[in-house]
Amino acid sequence: MTGVQRLRLGLLLSVVLIAALAIGAGLVRAAFYQASAAAPVNGGAGAVAGTTGQCAGQPARATRELRGMWLTTVYNLDFPSKPGLSEDKVKSEYEKWLDLAVAQNHNAIFVHVRPSGDAFWPSAYAPWSNWLTGRFDGKSPGWDPMAFMVSEAHARGLEFHAWFNPYRGTQPAPSGVGTDAAKLAPNHPLRLHPEWRVAYPKGKTGRFYFDPGIPEARKFVEDSMLEAVQKYDVDGVHFDDFFYPYPEGTNEDFPDAASFKKYGAGRSKSDWRRENVNVLVQEMHDRLQQTKPWVRFGISPFGIWRNKATDVKGSASNGLESYDTIYADTRKWVQSGWLDYIAPQLYWTIGFDKADYTTMLKWWTALTKGTNVQLYIGMADYRVGEKNDWSKPTMLSREMTLNRQLGAQGEIHFSATQVRDDKLGAVTRYRKAFYNSPALQPRLARLTAAAPATPQLTAVRRDATGKLIFTQSGVATTNWALYRTTGGPAGLVATGRAGAEIADRYPVANGTYCLSAVDRNGNESPLSPGLTAPVA
């Protein structure tokens, strides 16, 4: 290296160091981020000539859709099974949930890591969750569940979407501390900042909320969620339908008069509240793009924006309106491009008079059409076995048929316990019909990149159970996909994270296999040359 070259290198490193100190390592990483750093598909040392969309001369097909389930921690609805379990027991339970996801051919799991102002990771912004520790003192359980959960999901080829409730600070007593400030953990932000705290409703069902109308509180909530993004290799940030609280029982209004007086700026209270939520959604979008642009951001809102009787742009429904009741302007979020996906909770049956599933699905598909916002559907597995139409084991399958006919790009099932319990055989029915083979994630439209380089299958062996295990070279991306043909069209038989075992657990006779590399955005390489498996 010449003296001039050394000088240039030194200047470049100095610029990077100064930038890191000035704006943070996350922004520097985002500034230098490339969606796919793979080498060109053809040419260059060691390049493998692959074929786009073909395996061993046969067309190769893979379904692209998101398949996931919500793993709920609040009230220990799904996980952990009860508070205060040992580290080994929590890990064992979590692994069983992942095994269920794999058995269902899911490709993502949505884990409740901030159910109510708390955390399932060592956080500088929140106390440890009592749903994990069994205590309200905020003390550490002595291990890092988040690191384990992300790593184990990735080891099984599942995306890990961190599910946060932004504004909820507590849950009602006795499971939570309710509105008793004296019981808040010493490091709870609503104990340290009582001016951010709003209690609603009055009485036994009361909770503390972070006041969405106070800019400092909103920034703190964002920082607390982004901390998890910065510390862990999460694939997505996920909110559900909880923003301003749903009305509870009486006509009691959310008591935010003080912040409205200070920050309302002449707007109506409803418009001001909506704007507070809009700002949270937009700022999370923008800050995620700056921190880790490959992380997907999505929200699963209540299924009705507004009824057509209220607003001609609304749906032909007659139910609670999230725009007016919880101040969630979901339509604006889609049209503004602040989300990578939206997953409305369509927890109704086909033919339900107040909100017919087909009608609502058509409204959401029309809203997302022509945007870069993908449409997934929140599915009501928890309602199977209820009276009337939910007593039919076919209802979810009928709805999932409509999802595919009308262009939805995936489903998230509520919740993991109901997927496991398989009431009336409804889960078995829809798995057989729609999830019978693996699926790749939909491509992330906002991040474009050249296709990754083609990998190569270098060897295959059969173990004692009959499983075929492959070795490869050239997977330089996050994921891989394994295809199989027996002389006709090739189908996807397995997917996984780079470094994980590449295997066909259920091989068939005369199989020829091809491998592709898949980057974080869903871009897929051409398929490798075929490798024929040995005869059993």
Side-chain angles (χ1 to χ4, degrees):
M1 181 181 292
T2 68
V4 172
Q5 288 172 324
R6 284 194 295 270
L7 177 60
R8 288 175 177 170
L9 178 60
L11 289 172
L12 176 60
L13 292 174
S14 298
V15 169
V16 172
L17 177 59
I18 292 168
L21 293 172
I23 63 175
L27 297 186
V28 173
R29 183 167 59 249
F32 285 88
Y33 170 70
Q34 292 182 336
S36 175
V41 172
N42 294 307
V48 176
T51 306
T52 300
Q54 285 194 355
C55 174
Q58 297 295 327
R61 300 169 182 168
T63 299
R64 279 191 178 267
E65 62 186 15
L66 180 126
R67 302 171 183 170
M69 62 185 182
W70 281 288
L71 188 64
T72 313
T73 59
V74 68
Y75 297 115
N76 300 106
L77 290 176
D78 294 321
F79 164 79
S81 60
K82 62 181 180 180
L85 295 177
S86 68
E87 175 182 348
D88 287 346
K89 180 62 173 173
V90 173
K91 287 181 174 180
S92 175
E93 288 188 357
Y94 180 70
E95 288 173 329
K96 290 177 181 177
W97 288 118
L98 295 184
D99 292 343
L100 173 66
V102 170
Q104 294 294 322
N105 278 323
H106 289 181
N107 51 26
I109 189 163
F110 295 75
V111 182
H112 212 183
V113 297
R114 177 192 163 92
S116 41
D118 48 2
F120 270 69
W121 72 94
S123 173
Y125 296 87
W128 282 94
S129 177
N130 66 285
W131 312 113
L132 173 71
T133 66
R135 304 187 306 271
F136 296 122
D137 58 13
K139 291 183 179 179
S140 171
W143 64 291
D144 188 343
M146 188 84 146
F148 175 80
M149 292 191 296
V150 173
S151 175
E152 290 299 308
H154 288 169
R156 291 163 175 77
L158 297 167
E159 286 194 350
F160 184 95
H161 290 245
W163 169 16
F164 304 92
N165 286 127
Y167 294 136
R168 281 187 167 182
T170 63
Q171 297 292 343
S175 299
V177 303
T179 55
D180 187 347
K183 292 182 179 178
L184 291 171
N187 64 333
H188 197 294
L190 294 183
R191 185 168 192 157
L192 300 173
H193 294 276
E195 72 277 11
W196 294 352
R197 186 168 83 205
V198 177
Y200 177 86
K202 297 175 182 177
K204 295 181 179 179
T205 59
R207 296 180 177 90
F208 281 139
Y209 290 84
F210 290 84
D211 189 338
I214 299 177
E216 295 82 7
R218 182 183 67 244
K219 172 68 162 47
F220 185 92
V221 166
E222 293 173 8
D223 290 344
S224 67
M225 297 184 288
L226 288 167
E227 179 193 45
V229 176
Q230 292 161 346
K231 290 179 69 172
Y232 304 98
D233 188 22
V234 301
D235 300 287
V237 166
H238 180 79
F239 297 167
D240 56 24
D241 54 316
F242 293 118
F243 295 98
Y244 279 88
Y246 287 92
E248 296 199 29
T250 66
N251 292 324
E252 179 187 350
D253 191 27
F254 186 72
D256 56 356
S259 54
F260 176 58
K261 181 178 180 180
K262 186 173 182 179
Y263 299 107
R267 291 165 289 189
S268 71
K269 183 176 279 190
S270 294
D271 287 342
W272 172 71
R273 286 175 174 173
R274 264 187 298 276
E275 185 59 17
N276 292 334
V277 180
N278 288 342
V279 171
L280 172 78
V281 173
Q282 183 179 15
E283 288 182 349
M284 280 299 293
H285 165 269
D286 293 346
R287 296 182 69 185
L288 279 167
Q289 300 266 331
Q290 294 170 343
T291 306
K292 289 184 178 179
W294 57 88
V295 172
R296 298 172 189 245
F297 179 39
I299 297 178
S300 180
F302 183 74
I304 299 173
W305 172 69
R306 297 188 97 184
N307 300 313
K308 185 172 286 187
T310 304
D311 188 321
V312 294
K313 297 182 291 292
S315 53
S317 52
N318 183 26
L320 181 146
E321 299 166 302
S322 63
Y323 178 94
D324 301 280
T325 306
I326 56 174
Y327 309 101
D329 192 354
T330 50
R331 183 172 177 271
K332 182 180 181 68
W333 305 342
V334 171
Q335 293 181 328
S336 300
W338 294 337
L339 304 176
D340 292 311
Y341 69 85
I342 196 161
Q345 298 170 14
L346 301 189
Y347 292 168
W348 306 294
T349 56
I350 297 169
F352 180 58
D353 59 348
K354 292 184 181 297
D356 168 57
Y357 186 92
T358 307
T359 299
M360 300 311 303
L361 177 61
K362 288 179 178 179
W363 189 89
W364 284 101
T365 54
L367 176 64
T368 53
K369 185 177 182 180
T371 73
N372 284 337
V373 179
Q374 296 169 353
L375 177 64
Y376 313 148
I377 304 300
M379 303 300 299
D381 292 47
Y382 76 100
R383 299 201 65 182
V384 173
E386 293 181 5
K387 294 179 180 179
N388 300 321
D389 285 342
W390 284 116
S391 66
K392 302 172 184 176
T394 58
M395 181 54 68
L396 287 176
S397 295
R398 291 175 60 199
E399 292 179 343
M400 291 168 69
T401 297
L402 288 172
N403 294 349
R404 283 149 183 79
Q405 291 174 348
L406 295 176
Q409 293 167 277
E411 291 107 5
I412 314 174
H413 298 268
F414 189 83
S415 67
T417 295
Q418 283 73 39
V419 173
R420 180 196 63 194
D421 291 350
D422 191 16
K423 286 185 180 179
L424 307 182
V427 174
T428 296
R429 182 182 294 268
Y430 71 63
R431 185 202 180 280
K432 182 177 180 181
F434 305 111
Y435 295 171
N436 200 36
S437 60
L440 298 178
Q441 292 279 354
R443 293 179 182 87
L444 193 57
R446 64 176 169 79
L447 291 177
T448 58
T454 303
Q456 186 171 11
L457 291 171
T458 55
V460 58
R461 64 180 176 86
R462 191 182 299 269
D463 73 2
T465 68
K467 177 175 68 175
L468 292 176
I469 302 172
F470 298 82
T471 57
Q472 61 83 26
S473 64
V475 174
T477 54
T478 308
N479 303 290
W480 51 262
L482 182 68
Y483 293 80
R484 181 183 67 205
T485 176
T486 55
L492 186 65
V493 293
T495 62
R497 206 78 168 184
E501 179 182 80
I502 301 174
D504 183 359
R505 297 181 181 278
Y506 308 103
V508 296
N510 303 316
T512 297
Y513 293 82
C514 301
L515 189 69
S516 69
V518 184
D519 68 17
R520 281 185 176 271
N521 314 317
N523 297 309
E524 186 178 18
S525 75
L527 274 63
S528 70
L531 178 66
T532 300
V535 177

